[in-house]
Amino acid sequence: MSQTLTEIFEHYFDFWKELSETEIEFVCANTRKVSYPKGAYVHQGPLDCIGALLIRSGQLRVYTMSEDGREVTLYRLFAGDVGILSASCVLDALTFDVYIDAEEDTEVLLTDAAAFRRLVEGNIHVRCYAYELATQRLSDMLWKMQQVLFLSADRRFAIFLLEESAQNGSGEIHLTHEQIARYMGTAREVVSRMVKYFNQEGWIKNSRGCIKIIDRQALEQLKGK
Amino acid sequence: MSQTLTEIFEHYFDFWKELSETEIEFVCANTRKVSYPKGAYVHQGPLDCIGALLIRSGQLRVYTMSEDGREVTLYRLFAGDVGILSASCVLDALTFDVYIDAEEDTEVLLTDAAAFRRLVEGNIHVRCYAYELATQRLSDMLWKMQQVLFLSADRRFAIFLLEESAQNGSGEIHLTHEQIARYMGTAREVVSRMVKYFNQEGWIKNSRGCIKIIDRQALEQLKGK
């Protein structure tokens, strides 16, 4: 690594300046670089507790799963994001478990669970940071679950297209219907039906593996205020 | 009040001993007793921000609502519980809004939003408490949303009956089908169908406004591990 761990952590964590020399050494000694190849399981619900993740490159997908294996993607983590739910064992208030997969080859800095727990218990600034971040993530997840539960498919699809295009900074979305269905927590058939419908309305143009947004205003209108 | 505010707060809040004399006076000066009659709206999503609630007696119902008015009850608050989501404006990480109604005549101690914000911003122990409680509530809510999203109706109904009977400490549930439907976030017809089905199986005995659990073991089995 060209940067030292301390430089990286200082940049991302407000609580860093509140740590003692001993705590800083302790965190660094218990943090390691981990690489997940595309498709790897990073965290599996109640089964494991890996600690806290700082994503350096790549992409992680956080999702929940029904008993019969239906998935709902809750959010995705990109470079610079911190994954705190992978340390659910550390935060006593967390009773909701998630699954995390690597969507691309991903590099993370992983602070192991036991060390992270000691830090959270020993330093109120770290504890406050962890719970504030957990509140943020859970709040976003609830918003997502509410969408799945309540919104009509066309509105959800419009929101997905707009968010995805904002994310990659272009008017094109290079994803298969299968992938979109997984991200949206719906069936591939529903996505294909939506693509056809949006195509016919002239809002998007669909070609092999790529959806191009044609009428952004129409999508915004569908999305609502 | 027979007890002073300080005695009550000391009992419920771990952070109380971390407050300065000035902060204690400030909280007490900005807390008042409020009564909500049965059926009253206590908090309405993004529309208001009333502050933090400590329930003294009665019952509040916390729920979310779809655009077309469908409700899902997320949890209920009883005497001694603290309602923190009614202060969503105070916790910056909270992006998910809820509705809160009084299910019974309810008495609360309400610390107003501006005062609560000042306390949260000025004292890390209060901030940590608030975010930890928010994490707990959101985590429970996600669990509930997941149930609504994924579980089959019979299993959800068994879980509801067992939880309700554990809550009131008896094998009888005095609620109408309408009320149960609202608590479970389902339709009254679904509840009536379930009641009829569970009745026929001999798991419960249904009479006017009352469901009696007959075969607890069968419900536990349905609930699963």
Side-chain angles (χ1 to χ4, degrees):
Chain A
M1 286 177 270
S2 54
Q3 283 175 293
T4 65
L5 262 185
T6 305
E7 283 167 353
I8 296 170
F9 282 160
E10 205 169 19
H11 177 72
Y12 286 108
F13 299 121
D14 279 348
F15 64 72
W16 198 255
K17 60 184 183 301
E18 310 286 350
L19 299 184
S20 67
E21 279 300 319
T22 323
E23 284 172 322
I24 289 176
E25 275 170 37
F26 179 70
V27 177
C28 292
N30 287 283
T31 298
R32 61 187 203 283
K33 203 168 160 176
V34 179
S35 299
Y36 298 104
K38 182 176 173 171
Y41 297 119
V42 175
H43 176 73
Q44 299 206 49
L47 301 176
D48 60 353
C49 173
I50 56 175
L53 301 165
L54 171 63
I55 288 87
R56 296 292 287 155
S57 67
Q59 185 191 145
L60 300 181
R61 181 172 73 97
V62 180
Y63 60 100
T64 180
M65 215 190 313
S66 70
E67 285 155 53
D68 59 358
R70 244 174 81 203
E71 294 179 6
V72 173
T73 300
L74 297 166
Y75 56 89
R76 283 177 279 169
L77 296 170
F78 300 92
D81 288 338
V82 175
I84 197 92
L85 299 182
S86 49
S88 50
C89 55
V90 176
L91 305 179
D92 293 328
L94 266 185
T95 56
F96 185 78
D97 277 302
V98 296
Y99 295 78
I100 306 178
D101 288 357
E103 285 288 290
E104 298 168 10
D105 292 343
T106 302
E107 305 246 296
V108 307
L109 289 172
L110 175 65
T111 305
D112 87 48
F116 187 59
R117 175 179 282 278
R118 239 174 82 181
L119 203 64
V120 159
E121 282 170 356
N123 189 311
I124 192 160
H125 297 278
V126 182
R127 188 152 76 249
C128 198
Y129 167 85
Y131 279 115
E132 186 166 350
L133 187 57
T135 298
Q136 176 76 64
R137 295 275 183 245
L138 292 169
S139 181
D140 292 350
M141 283 157 70
L142 268 165
W143 187 81
K144 184 63 195 287
M145 294 276 273
Q146 196 186 27
Q147 272 202 312
V148 174
L149 209 56
F150 288 138
L151 288 192
S152 54
D154 57 347
R155 179 142 185 252
R156 281 175 58 210
F157 191 52
I159 291 173
F160 177 82
L161 293 175
L162 291 168
E163 282 184 352
E164 198 62 26
S165 119
Q167 180 80 57
N168 68 25
S170 89
E172 295 190 356
I173 290 118
H174 294 271
L175 292 170
T176 66
H177 295 186
E178 190 74 43
Q179 284 174 307
I180 295 175
R182 205 142 49 82
Y183 290 154
M184 290 182 57
T186 187
R188 197 188 49 72
E189 293 72 25
V190 174
V191 173
S192 299
R193 206 157 54 221
M194 285 298 133
V195 168
K196 197 176 159 195
Y197 165 47
F198 280 37
N199 230 340
Q200 284 170 343
E201 297 289 331
W203 300 337
I204 60 171
K205 200 166 178 328
N206 183 42
S207 57
R208 206 180 161 74
C210 175
I211 291 170
K212 194 172 172 181
I213 294 179
I214 305 292
D215 188 347
R216 187 174 291 269
Q217 214 185 335
L219 298 185
E220 292 283 3
Q221 213 153 46
L222 203 56
K223 176 182 165 187
K225 283 146 291 177
Chain B
M1 285 178 269
S2 54
Q3 281 176 295
T4 65
L5 262 185
T6 305
E7 283 168 352
I8 297 170
F9 282 160
E10 204 169 21
H11 177 71
Y12 285 107
F13 299 121
D14 279 348
F15 63 72
W16 199 255
K17 59 184 181 304
E18 310 287 349
L19 299 184
S20 67
E21 279 300 319
T22 322
E23 284 172 324
I24 288 177
E25 275 169 37
F26 179 70
V27 177
C28 292
N30 288 282
T31 298
R32 63 187 204 280
K33 202 168 161 177
V34 178
S35 299
Y36 297 104
K38 182 174 172 171
Y41 298 118
V42 176
H43 176 73
Q44 299 205 51
L47 302 175
D48 59 354
C49 173
I50 55 174
L53 301 165
L54 171 62
I55 288 88
R56 296 293 288 155
S57 67
Q59 186 191 144
L60 300 181
R61 181 172 72 97
V62 180
Y63 60 101
T64 181
M65 214 189 313
S66 69
E67 285 155 54
D68 58 357
R70 244 174 82 204
E71 294 179 6
V72 173
T73 299
L74 296 166
Y75 57 88
R76 282 177 278 167
L77 297 170
F78 299 93
D81 288 338
V82 175
I84 197 92
L85 300 183
S86 49
S88 51
C89 54
V90 176
L91 306 179
D92 293 327
L94 267 185
T95 57
F96 186 79
D97 276 303
V98 296
Y99 296 79
I100 306 178
D101 288 358
E103 283 290 289
E104 299 168 10
D105 290 344
T106 302
E107 305 246 297
V108 307
L109 290 172
L110 175 63
T111 306
D112 87 48
F116 187 59
R117 175 179 281 277
R118 238 174 84 181
L119 203 65
V120 159
E121 282 170 358
N123 189 311
I124 192 160
H125 296 279
V126 181
R127 187 152 75 250
C128 198
Y129 167 85
Y131 279 115
E132 185 167 350
L133 186 57
T135 299
Q136 176 77 63
R137 296 275 184 245
L138 292 170
S139 181
D140 292 351
M141 282 157 70
L142 268 164
W143 187 83
K144 184 63 194 288
M145 294 277 272
Q146 196 185 28
Q147 272 202 314
V148 174
L149 210 56
F150 289 139
L151 289 191
S152 54
D154 56 347
R155 179 142 184 252
R156 280 175 58 209
F157 190 52
I159 290 173
F160 177 82
L161 293 174
L162 290 169
E163 282 183 354
E164 198 61 28
S165 117
Q167 181 78 58
N168 68 25
S170 89
E172 294 189 358
I173 290 116
H174 294 272
L175 292 171
T176 65
H177 296 186
E178 190 73 43
Q179 285 174 307
I180 295 175
R182 205 144 46 84
Y183 290 154
M184 289 181 58
T186 187
R188 197 188 49 74
E189 294 71 26
V190 174
V191 173
S192 299
R193 208 158 53 221
M194 285 298 134
V195 168
K196 196 176 160 195
Y197 165 48
F198 279 38
N199 229 340
Q200 285 169 341
E201 296 289 331
W203 300 336
I204 60 171
K205 201 166 178 324
N206 182 42
S207 56
R208 206 179 160 73
C210 174
I211 292 170
K212 194 173 172 182
I213 295 180
I214 305 291
D215 188 346
R216 187 173 292 269
Q217 214 183 336
L219 298 185
E220 292 282 3
Q221 214 152 45
L222 203 57
K223 176 182 166 187
K225 279 147 288 178

